[in-house]
């Protein structure tokens, strides 16, 4: 099999089936349509420009059957028989012999903390290829969730990493850029087949695949970094409700998320990090994000809720994801099953977001942050920022206010200040601090805090700066310090300020 995959990689490269190659073939507009899961413009462009790249695009990107003779020309190293043996195409009888793709193989360009890169990622055919509804053991390709999780990874070299619920293996590939060794687990043999295929296709070694549920395949082992986009979708356990391996973990409610978070402490090495995506329920009067805090007991934790949906919108989201639309006959019965389940358990909302966690190397947890951030976030900086925040929290935990006042701090280079005032006003009505990096926060601040941040250039201790500002504003210095120092801690944690 390895020889066949290596031959496939040579053929894909020779044909130029890359992100830039696809864009050059179909044009910018059709390429943008592909990102929106609209295939027809790219199909029309490919048919106008026949050749190896067009054939591979039609088959493995769009999911179209192609003439066997054209496929043979596009795969000179692998050959059609090699593709048949590998299980990525099947023959179709007809007046003109055809081969039909059995999988998708698409170029995936990425940028992470280590730079730019590109892989070919094989997965099951999906809605772009006209497949609906999806098969229960469907293996997803690269979507928004995988891109988000990859951006959250701490850009730090580690020894061992775990991809829990690997799917097609794209997160395992990202982890291998950081880790010497990666273990990728899944309950799906098909997912592990794709993971192995994608690793070999892209010349990546050091990824071990293991079959099993959650932490069972790695019982007794610890890792420096754990990443997971687990099957967290909250699906009613009712007869007639389809379950998909890639999204439905088989637990009631958010029980699978609780199990994943609760199992981290036993599988992280001291000082090890975890990055997860997940959903959590608001049950009765207990907010979902507060329930996550209980799951993460003993860990440094930063939970970010990006969105919260009421039960109807949540059910509609995942019905559409599975290919069931409002016009479909089964839609209303399935929606009722979801709503009955939520009502029986007293669920009023479902939160969706990110979890960053760390097992303290020594002592107790120093970071306990649970917040809602629905605004747009530039993910390019998220992984490095979250990693720095855990280090900053540990540093701050060792400083009382007196010790903090003796420290020298400096502004992060991406921080800017904006003033807003009414026409003719003597001074600003609103002062904002804005981040170009980190999580892209905008904070409204008062004159004293703005002055302090502006003065933080690493030259003078924070306490000296506060004293000078107190003199300028003609306020009591101890009172001003008591007001500013807790906010300085917040600015250090959120990346506006840092130790000089």
């Amino acid at each position: 099999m390895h020889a066949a995959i290596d031959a496939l990689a040579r053929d894909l490269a020779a044909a130029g089936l890359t992100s830039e190659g696809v864009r050059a073939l179909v044009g910018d507009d059709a390429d943008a349509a592909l990102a929106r899961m609209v295939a027809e413009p790219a199909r029309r462009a490919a048919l106008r420009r026949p050749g190896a790249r067009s054939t591979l695009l039609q088959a493995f990107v769009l999911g179209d059957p192609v003439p066997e003779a054209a496929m043979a020309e596009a795969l000179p190293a692998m050959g059609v028989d090699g593709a048949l043996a590998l299980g990525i195409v099947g023959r179709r009888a007809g007046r003109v012999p055809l081969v039909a793709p059995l999988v998708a193989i698409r170029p995936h360009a990425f940028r992470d903390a280590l730079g730019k890169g590109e892989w070919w990622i094989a997965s099951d055919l999906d809605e772009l290829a006209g497949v609906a509804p999806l098969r229960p053991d469907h293996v997803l390709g690269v979507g928004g969730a995988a891109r988000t999780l990859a951006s959250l990874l701490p850009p730090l070299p580690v020894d061992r990493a775990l991809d829990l619920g690997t799917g097609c293996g794209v997160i395992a590939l990202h982890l291998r850029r950081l880790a010497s060794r990666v273990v990728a687990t899944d309950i799906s043999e098909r997912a592990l087949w794709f993971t192995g295929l994608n690793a070999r296709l892209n010349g990546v070694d050091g990824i071990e695949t293991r079959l099993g549920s959650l932490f069972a395949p790695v019982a007794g082992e610890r890792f420096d970094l754990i990443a997971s986009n687990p099957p967290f979708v909250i699906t009613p356990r009712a007869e007639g409700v389809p379950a998909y391996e890639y999204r439905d973990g088989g637990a009631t409610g958010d029980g699978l998320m609780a199990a994943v978070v609760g199992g981290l402490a036993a599988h992280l090495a001291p000082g090890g990090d975890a990055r997860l995506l997940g959903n959590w329920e608001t049950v009765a009067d207990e907010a979902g994000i507060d329930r996550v805090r209980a799951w993460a007991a003993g860990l440094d934790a930063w939970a970010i809720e990006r969105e919260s949906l009421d039960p109807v919108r949540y059910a509609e989201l995942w019905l559409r994801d599975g290919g069931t639309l409002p016009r479909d006959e089964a839609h209303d019965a399935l929606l009722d099953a979801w709503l009955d389940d939520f009502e029986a358990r007293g669920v009023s909302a479902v939160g969706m977001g990110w979890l960053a966690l760390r097992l303290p190397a020594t002592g107790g947890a120093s970071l306990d942050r649970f917040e809602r951030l629905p605004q747009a976030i530039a993910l390019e900086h998220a992984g490095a920022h979250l990693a720095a925040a855990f280090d900053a929290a540990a540093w701050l935990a060792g400083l009382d206010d007196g010790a903090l006042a003796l420290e020298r701090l400096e502004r992060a280079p991406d921080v800017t200040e904006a003033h807003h005032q009414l026409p003719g006003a003597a001074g600003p009505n609103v002062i904002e601090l804005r981040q170009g990096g980190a999580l892209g926060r905008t904070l409204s601040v008062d004159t004293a805090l703005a002055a302090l941040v502006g003065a933080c250039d690493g030259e003078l201790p924070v306490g000296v700066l506060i004293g000078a500002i107190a003199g300028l504003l003609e306020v009591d210095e101890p009172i001003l310090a008591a007001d500013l120092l807790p906010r300085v801690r917040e600015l250090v944690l959120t990346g506006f300020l840092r130790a000089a």
Side-chain angles (χ1 to χ4, degrees), residues 243-269:
Y244 299 97
E245 286 182 346
Y246 73 88
R247 71 177 208 189
D248 300 312
T252 298
D254 54 18
L256 183 129
M257 278 304 305
V260 172
V261 177
L264 290 173
H267 293 90
L268 282 171

Side-chain angles (χ1 to χ4, degrees), residues 22-99:
V22 169
R23 188 177 300 111
L25 175 66
V26 306
D28 291 344
D29 292 343
D31 186 61
L34 285 175
R36 301 191 301 272
M37 305 301 284
V38 177
E40 189 58 26
R43 180 176 292 115
R44 291 164 60 92
L47 290 171
R48 286 194 297 266
R49 301 178 65 182
R53 190 183 307 172
S54 294
T55 298
L56 295 176
L57 171 75
Q58 291 173 71
F60 293 122
V61 176
L62 306 181
D64 296 342
V66 297
E68 183 170 338
M71 183 64 86
E73 291 181 2
L75 297 177
M78 185 182 208
V80 173
D81 287 341
L84 289 164
L86 187 59
I88 62 173
V89 301
R91 280 197 171 97
R92 284 194 183 176
R95 184 176 58 85
V96 175
L98 299 175
V99 290

Side-chain angles (χ1 to χ4, degrees), residues 13 60 182 205 238 302 355 383 491 493 497:
F60 293 122
V182 176
D205 60 7
W302 190 341
L355 300 178
L491 292 178
L493 191 63
L497 295 173

Side-chain angles (χ1 to χ4, degrees), residues 227-442:
S228 185
N229 177 20
F232 54 68
V233 176
I234 298 165
T235 304
R237 311 261 69 85
E239 185 177 353
V241 177
Y244 299 97
E245 286 182 346
Y246 73 88
R247 71 177 208 189
D248 300 312
T252 298
D254 54 18
L256 183 129
M257 278 304 305
V260 172
V261 177
L264 290 173
H267 293 90
L268 282 171
D273 288 290
R275 300 291 184 268
L276 316 175
L277 306 183
N279 288 184
W280 37 83
E281 296 178 320
T282 292
V283 181
D285 295 327
E286 187 177 17
I289 201 165
D290 292 331
R291 297 178 63 246
V292 177
R293 177 180 274 110
W295 304 342
L299 298 173
D300 286 321
W302 190 341
I304 298 175
E305 186 172 275
R306 301 288 289 131
E307 187 175 12
S308 181
L309 299 180
D310 62 68
V312 175
R313 288 195 298 156
Y314 187 85
E316 289 174 339
L317 169 67
W318 295 110
L319 286 172
R320 287 194 303 272
D321 178 80
T324 301
L325 303 177
R327 64 175 178 266
D328 296 335
E329 182 178 352
H331 179 271
D332 289 351
L334 291 173
L335 179 59
D336 279 337
W338 247 279
L339 298 182
D340 287 346
D341 176 60
F342 284 136
E343 185 176 332
R345 294 184 295 103
V347 176
S348 59
V350 180
M352 312 169 75
W354 318 333
L355 300 178
L357 308 113
R358 176 178 289 180
L359 180 64
T362 58
S366 56
L367 182 58
D368 181 58
R369 190 178 184 91
F370 294 78
E371 62 182 325
R372 296 176 175 86
L373 289 178
Q375 72 267 21
I377 292 176
L379 290 171
E380 179 182 353
H381 310 285
H385 170 58
L386 291 172
F390 280 91
D391 293 336
W395 178 69
L396 289 168
L399 300 174
D400 61 18
D401 282 354
L404 180 59
L406 297 175
E407 294 290 337
R408 290 171 168 81
L409 301 178
E410 61 182 12
R411 290 182 313 280
D414 60 281
V415 173
T416 57
E417 182 176 306
H419 289 197
H420 304 272
Q421 65 187 67
L422 296 172
N429 302 93
V430 177
I431 304 173
E432 290 180 340
L433 298 179
R434 298 175 176 174
Q435 289 178 316
L439 297 185
R441 296 175 189 265
T442 296

